Amino acid sequence: TTPRLCLMMALDLFQEMLDHQETSNLPSMKQILQELPLDVLQRLVDFLWVPRLGPDALDYVNPIHNIVSRVSTLKLLMGYDNTVDTDIRDRSLDVLVPLVNLSDHLVGSMSNFSPRLYDALLPILTTQVGRNDAPMLANSLLKALSRHPANRVGLLYAQERILALATKDDNARVAQVALGHLYQFDIQDLSSS
C-alpha cells in the first residue's frame, strides 16, 4: 500500500503542475497533462473514496485493487461522512476538476470509470465534512462530464440517484445538478419565472 503522506504529496504535485502549466518554462506541460494515461486518471478517481484510517480500525483487503486499508466496524455501520478520508478526496477533486477542463479527450476518458466515478461523486454533493467547497467541486466535475457524449451512459446510471437526492430537504445544490446537468435547464431562467 502507498502511505497516506505519499498520496497527499503526489496530489499536491499534480496541483502544482496544474497551477503552473501556463507559467512553466516547459512549453509542453499542458500537453503532458492532456495526455495522462488512463491508469493515472483511474487512480485519481479511486482517491475520491479512500477509507479513513483510525486506531479503532480492522484490516480490510479490497479484492478489486488488493489495497490494504483500515476500516472500523463502527464506521461500516455509519454513513459516508464518517467513512471517507476527506483530505485525500478533496485534494483529488482539486486535481480532477481543472484536469478534465483541459481537454475533451480527458472528459471523454472519464467514461471508462463508470459506475465507480458516479458512486464516489454523488455522496460528495451532500457531504457535511471536509472542505466547504467539496460539493461545489463535485458539481463542477459533473458539469464537465455532462458536456461530453461519452459520459451519457454514466449520467443515466446516476440519474435516478441524483433525482432521489434532489427531492430531499436542504439539497438545493443537488436539485441544481439535476436540472442543470441532467436535463440541461437554465437555472437562471427557472428562478426568474
Side-chain angles (χ1 to χ4, degrees):
T1 66
T2 307
R4 185 175 187 276
L5 185 58
C6 290
L7 292 177
M8 294 182 77
M9 288 173 46
L11 290 169
D12 286 343
L13 175 64
F14 267 112
Q15 185 65 46
E16 287 297 318
M17 290 171 63
L18 286 163
D19 289 345
H20 300 293
Q21 65 180 327
E22 299 298 330
T23 60
S24 173
N25 291 335
L26 299 172
S28 61
M29 180 66 75
K30 186 173 183 177
Q31 293 169 340
I32 291 170
L33 290 170
Q34 288 175 338
E35 297 299 324
L36 282 177
L38 284 178
D39 291 340
V40 174
L41 287 175
Q42 175 68 50
R43 278 317 199 190
L44 289 171
V45 169
D46 289 344
F47 293 156
L48 292 175
W49 195 88
V50 173
R52 183 179 290 172
L53 305 176
D56 56 341
L58 300 173
D59 281 336
Y60 169 73
V61 177
N62 184 337
I64 296 173
H65 296 291
N66 253 352
I67 297 174
V68 176
S69 57
R70 309 285 284 174
V71 179
S72 72
T73 53
L74 182 60
K75 289 177 188 170
L76 287 174
L77 301 174
M78 300 174 101
Y80 168 81
D81 286 345
N82 295 317
T83 59
V84 70
D85 189 329
T86 57
D87 291 335
I88 292 177
R89 177 201 70 194
D90 294 347
R91 288 175 190 230
S92 183
L93 279 171
D94 281 339
V95 170
L96 278 170
V97 170
L99 191 62
V100 298
N101 287 321
L102 285 178
S103 75
D104 285 339
H105 167 71
L106 290 172
V107 177
S109 297
M110 298 299 280
S111 66
N112 294 321
F113 312 125
S114 293
R116 172 93 169 120
L117 172 63
Y118 297 99
D119 288 340
L121 278 178
L122 294 181
I124 300 172
L125 292 172
T126 59
T127 189
Q128 300 295 319
V129 297
R131 290 196 340 238
N132 290 336
D133 64 343
M136 291 186 311
L137 288 170
N139 187 2
S140 297
L141 189 53
L142 282 170
K143 183 178 182 178
L145 294 172
S146 69
R147 290 192 322 248
H148 199 282
N151 294 314
R152 188 73 181 147
V153 172
L155 289 170
L156 289 174
Y157 166 78
Q159 179 176 348
E160 185 176 329
R161 291 175 54 199
I162 290 175
L163 291 175
L165 287 172
T167 59
K168 293 182 181 178
D169 292 338
D170 299 327
N171 282 340
R173 183 184 316 112
V174 181
Q176 183 179 8
V177 170
L179 293 175
H181 307 314
L182 292 178
Y183 298 110
Q184 305 299 321
F185 286 115
D186 187 3
I187 302 302
Q188 286 78 24
D189 290 345
L190 290 175
S191 62
S192 65
S193 56

